[in-house]
Each structure stands twice: as structure tokens, then as C-alpha cells.
Amino acid sequence: SINNVTIKGAGKYATVLSFKNLSTGGEGMKIAGNHILLQDFTVLDAPGDDIKTQKCDGIVFRNLNASWTNSDLAKSGTYGIYPVQCKNVVVDNCEVSHSRDAGIYVGQSENIVVKNCYVFENVAGIEIENSDNAEFFNNQAINNTSGILVFNLLGLPKASGSNTKVYKNLIKANNH
């Protein structure tokens, strides 16, 4: 676990972390800790999740790109941006594409804002699961299988979620 850390690149497309040749492990980046800022870089081609954060309090994903370059989604990783069991989450101005599950997945978390993001060509564009106090606004979910999903799934450590607001999003052509 790490605390009070900033990982900042030179720009969303200027700094690229590629995991295309990773032969073991699942995540490109896996982070646990408090007061973490991830900003201004791209993560590509992790075999599992591009960026996973778990049990963080105060995690910000800002101006990031997470994607897979293989044209076959079955060979892509699972989640692009994946905060799970986190508190005080902000995902702002991020772009996520070509995941075999959700581009942005927030699960079993609380106090979440996902805004100004562009998700495309994922199975699910944005997914919120078993989380409390979430707001999703000014996002574009285009050309995914489904645009934005909000639900409670049985059998998870956090049994349910509530108080999710989804508004002022462009949800278009999500019908694969």
C-alpha cells in the first residue's frame, strides 16, 4: 500500500506505458493506498486490467487513456480503469477503448464522480456496480455493446449500492 503519491506523465498521449509483451501477471498497474493521483498518460495492452486500484481512499484518474491495440476484443484485457472497494473516487477526462468487459468499471465503492470521459468500442462503456453516492455526467459512451450500466450484483462483499445519478451524457450507437 502506498499513500500520497502522484504518477504524472507528459500528457494523455505523450507518455505511454505499454504492457503488450507482459507474460505474467494481470494488471498493467495495480495500486492500493490513499490520496493517489494518476494523470496525463496512456496505459496499453495489459493482459488483464490496464489500471486497477483497490481499497484506496482518495483516488483520482485524470486525463488518462487506457486501451488495447488488438482488433479482437477476446484478446483484450478486462477493465481499462478499475477502482474497486474504493472511497472518494474521481475519473475525469479519461478515454477508454477496446476492453473485453467494461471500459470504466467502478465496483463496491462510495463517493464517486465519473465526468468528461469518452468510452468507445468496449463491451460496456461505463459500469457502476454495488456502489454508493455515484455521479456520472458529461460522458460520451459511443459504439459499445452497452453504454452505461448501473446495477447491484448478488454475492459480492458489498451487498448493494444506492444513490447513483446519471445525467447529461451522450449515449449513442451502443448496440453490438
Side-chain angles (χ1 to χ4, degrees):
S1 177
I2 56 174
N3 295 320
N4 304 310
V5 172
T6 296
I7 300 172
K8 186 174 180 180
K12 186 186 293 187
Y13 308 110
T15 300
V16 178
L17 306 174
S18 175
F19 295 92
K20 190 170 197 145
N21 297 321
L22 185 65
S23 59
T24 60
E27 292 87 10
M29 299 178 77
K30 185 173 183 180
I31 298 169
N34 300 317
H35 310 293
I36 309 295
L37 171 62
L38 306 174
Q39 183 172 321
D40 295 327
F41 58 87
T42 289
V43 176
L44 293 178
D45 295 319
D49 311 313
D50 272 345
I51 307 169
K52 180 178 181 179
T53 61
Q54 191 166 14
K55 298 182 179 176
C56 296
D57 187 350
I59 178 76
V60 177
F61 304 83
R62 182 174 292 128
N63 201 38
L64 301 178
N65 176 38
S67 188
W68 286 267
T69 57
N70 191 316
S71 60
D72 181 359
L73 281 185
K75 295 178 182 174
S76 291
T78 311
Y79 301 118
I81 295 175
Y82 179 24
V84 64
Q85 298 171 328
C86 294
K87 295 179 182 177
N88 304 308
V89 176
V90 175
V91 182
D92 183 15
N93 194 37
C94 294
E95 179 178 310
V96 186
S97 62
H98 302 100
S99 74
R100 73 169 178 241
D101 199 320
I104 299 171
Y105 171 98
V106 183
Q108 303 174 65
S109 296
E110 61 185 73
N111 304 329
I112 304 131
V113 174
V114 177
K115 63 182 181 174
N116 307 314
C117 295
Y118 175 44
V119 292
F120 62 97
E121 296 186 22
N122 303 286
V123 171
I126 300 171
E127 184 175 328
I128 178 80
E129 184 176 275
N130 296 55
S131 293
D132 295 319
N133 305 319
E135 286 193 67
F136 291 71
F137 60 94
N138 293 341
N139 300 294
Q140 296 181 52
I142 300 172
N143 203 31
N144 303 283
T145 301
S146 60
I148 297 178
L149 302 168
V150 179
F151 59 93
N152 289 328
L153 183 65
L154 298 174
L156 295 177
K158 184 175 178 351
S160 66
S162 64
N163 196 27
T164 296
K165 299 174 186 175
V166 179
Y167 58 95
K168 293 186 181 178
N169 297 285
L170 174 61
I171 305 169
K172 179 180 171 184
N174 296 287
N175 54 6
H176 292 275

